[in-house]
């Protein structure tokens, strides 16, 4: 089956990035968010990011205009039902995702494929609450979506080959690379990345190093383009904590226990770049460490 029309749920940093790349690749996009403000902010980010691509000669002005005209904001979630593919990219909380799929199901076309951009939650469990576990899978983009080459494709236990092939073809049309992961907590990228970020937070918590020294060590000592704390701020500390909890609960191993300092930052609402403060304070011209 060929995918032409895509519904995206959630217009946050990932949802708007997904809408951006899909529209540039020629797909028709409907985008929804529970917050009208988030939709407006998401559309504004898409404009800014596309304009940046025009300035760098990655796309032409006319490509940008055509791409923007292919994106339609929808305030009603159920308006996304009549699409070929839905990519759910709302907040990383299982109950939120379950209720989105529950509301969508009665409005879907028989062939609509349901996917989630979840970083960690069981695809099989999300699928089992819908009427189409065989047409359900994980479609996991990396942040920032327009720049990152990888898409992890995750098959739930019931996902059929036609669904996998259709999603694989979408990734190819985007010019990105798909890697297949089995459906275990946090899949491949976050199974490896998040324990490292969590360990960096423990290193800070135990006073082994400051924010700056930890990030400098990992950037200059291991050639990572960003330090782990800077990267955590970029991802969102709420998302990092949610993923650690999924690893901890799903694998029942204490080595995945989230660092209490990570929890404290989330409790403070210091979620990283998206709220202006995390391990760094972004409200100044040059980000300043908060510890
Ligand atoms: P975000 O906080 O930037 O955006 C989440 C959006 O979901 C918000 O705009 C919120 O209003 C919206 N939302 C919440 N409940 C909703 C509902 N019921 N219906 C519609 N919209 C709703 O978060 P994000 O970083 O964009 O993460 C979204 C998803 O992408 C999560 O599942 C996350 O794990 C995954 N993800 C994140 C990253 C990352 O680096 N941040 C990378 C890959 C995947």
């Amino acid at each position: 089956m060929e995918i032409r029309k895509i519904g995206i749920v959630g217009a946050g940093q990932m949802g708007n990035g997904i809408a951006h790349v899909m529209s540039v690749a020629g797909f028709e996009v409907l985008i929804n968010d529970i917050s009208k403000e988030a939709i407006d902010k998401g559309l504004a980010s898409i404009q800014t990011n596309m304009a940046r691509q025009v300035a760098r000669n990655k796309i032409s002005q006319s490509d940008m205009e055509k791409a923007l005209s292919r994106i339609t904001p929808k305030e009603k979630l159920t308006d996304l039902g009549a699409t070929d593919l839905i990519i759910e990219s709302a907040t990383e909380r299982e109950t939120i995702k379950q209720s989105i799929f529950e509301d969508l199901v009665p409005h879907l076309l028989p062939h609509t494929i349901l996917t989630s951009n979840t970083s960690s939650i069981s695809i099989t469990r999300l699928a089992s609450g819908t009427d189409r576990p065989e047409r359900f899978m994980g479609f996991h983009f990396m942040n920032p979506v327009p720049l990152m080459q990888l898409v992890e494709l995750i098959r739930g236990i019931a996902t059929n080959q036609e669904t996998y092939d259709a999603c694989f073809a979408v990734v190819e049309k985007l010019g990105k690379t798909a890697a297949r992961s089995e459906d275990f907590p946090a899949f491949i990228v976050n199974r490896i990345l998040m324990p490292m970020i969590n360990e960096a937070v423990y290193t800070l918590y135990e006073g082994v190093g400051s924010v700056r020294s930890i990030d400098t060590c990992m950037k200059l000592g291991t050639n990572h383009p960003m330090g782990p704390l800077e990267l955590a701020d970029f991802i969102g500390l709420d998302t990092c904590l949610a993923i650690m909890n999924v690893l901890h609960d799903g694998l029942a191993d204490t080595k995945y226990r989230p660092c209490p300092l990570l929890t404290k930052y989330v409790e403070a609402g210091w979620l990283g770049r998206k709220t202006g403060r995390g391990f760094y304070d972004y409200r100044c011209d040059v980000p300043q460490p908060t510890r």
Side-chain angles (χ1 to χ4, degrees):
M1 70 168 287
E2 201 192 335
I3 307 285
R4 291 205 179 90
K5 199 171 182 182
I6 299 180
I8 297 168
V9 186
Q13 52 180 349
M14 294 305 289
N16 79 60
I18 298 168
H20 173 146
V21 298
M22 291 296 182
S23 66
V24 170
F27 295 102
E28 205 184 316
V29 173
L30 306 182
I31 186 163
N32 160 269
D33 197 288
I34 200 168
S35 136
K36 165 85 173 69
E37 201 190 331
I39 298 185
D40 294 343
K41 212 170 139 198
L43 292 174
S45 297
I46 295 172
Q47 287 243 4
T48 310
N49 294 336
M50 280 189 192
R52 202 171 289 148
Q53 287 185 309
V54 172
R56 290 183 186 150
N57 291 323
K58 300 269 186 220
I59 58 173
S60 70
Q61 181 68 30
S62 117
D63 290 339
M64 169 171 167
E65 281 157 22
K66 282 190 209 141
L68 288 174
S69 74
R70 284 191 282 265
I71 304 176
T72 312
K74 291 283 180 190
E75 281 185 49
K76 251 173 74 191
L77 172 69
T78 51
D79 285 348
L80 268 54
T83 52
D84 304 314
L85 167 68
I86 291 184
I87 304 178
E88 171 282 313
S89 190
T91 308
E92 186 74 347
R93 200 169 311 143
E94 189 159 342
T95 49
I96 292 180
K97 294 184 187 292
Q98 275 164 345
S99 88
I100 288 171
F101 290 121
E102 201 177 301
D103 292 347
L104 276 171
V105 159
H107 303 273
L108 301 177
L109 301 173
H111 72 266
T112 306
I113 292 176
L114 289 177
T115 67
S116 175
N117 181 42
T118 176
S119 305
S120 59
I121 299 168
S122 165
I123 296 303
T124 301
R125 209 161 55 231
L126 287 175
S128 71
T130 74
D131 63 342
R132 57 193 70 203
E134 69 291 348
R135 304 185 72 69
F136 193 110
M137 59 183 274
F139 208 128
H140 184 216
F141 286 86
M142 306 296 128
N143 187 16
V145 182
L147 298 183
M148 298 294 280
Q149 185 60 24
L150 180 73
V151 179
E152 249 180 330
L153 291 180
I154 304 113
R155 282 179 87 139
I157 202 163
T159 310
N160 66 24
Q161 191 62 36
E162 190 194 17
T163 300
Y164 185 85
D165 291 345
C167 291
F168 188 89
V170 171
V171 177
E172 286 208 309
K173 198 164 166 194
L174 293 175
K176 295 193 184 288
T177 304
R180 179 176 158 171
S181 167
E182 295 306 321
D183 182 25
F184 288 100
F187 321 126
I188 296 174
V189 172
N190 285 315
R191 170 80 178 258
I192 298 168
L193 174 66
M194 281 304 151
M196 186 197 72
I197 286 179
N198 194 47
E199 201 58 33
V201 186
Y202 268 112
T203 310
L204 178 67
Y205 175 65
E206 290 169 9
V208 182
S210 64
V211 167
R212 235 192 253 292
S213 46
I214 292 166
D215 277 351
T216 303
C217 281
M218 294 307 286
K219 275 194 286 192
L220 303 185
T222 65
N223 246 359
H224 287 196
M226 281 175 130
L229 299 173
E230 195 185 353
L231 179 58
D233 276 357
F234 190 70
I235 293 167
L237 303 190
D238 53 340
T239 301
C240 293
L241 179 60
I243 298 170
M244 284 313 297
N245 279 324
V246 168
L247 281 167
H248 194 222
D249 296 345
L251 298 169
D253 189 328
T254 54
K255 76 177 177 182
Y256 297 113
R257 68 203 186 284
C259 178
L261 185 61
L262 179 61
T263 308
K264 199 189 285 263
Y265 269 78
V266 173
E267 283 169 352
W270 294 12
L271 307 183
R273 276 184 183 269
K274 65 184 170 187
T275 55
R277 196 162 23 169
F279 293 113
Y280 293 86
D281 190 336
Y282 299 93
R283 295 167 305 167
C284 353
D285 290 343
V286 179
Q288 294 300 317
T290 51
R291 280 179 99 81

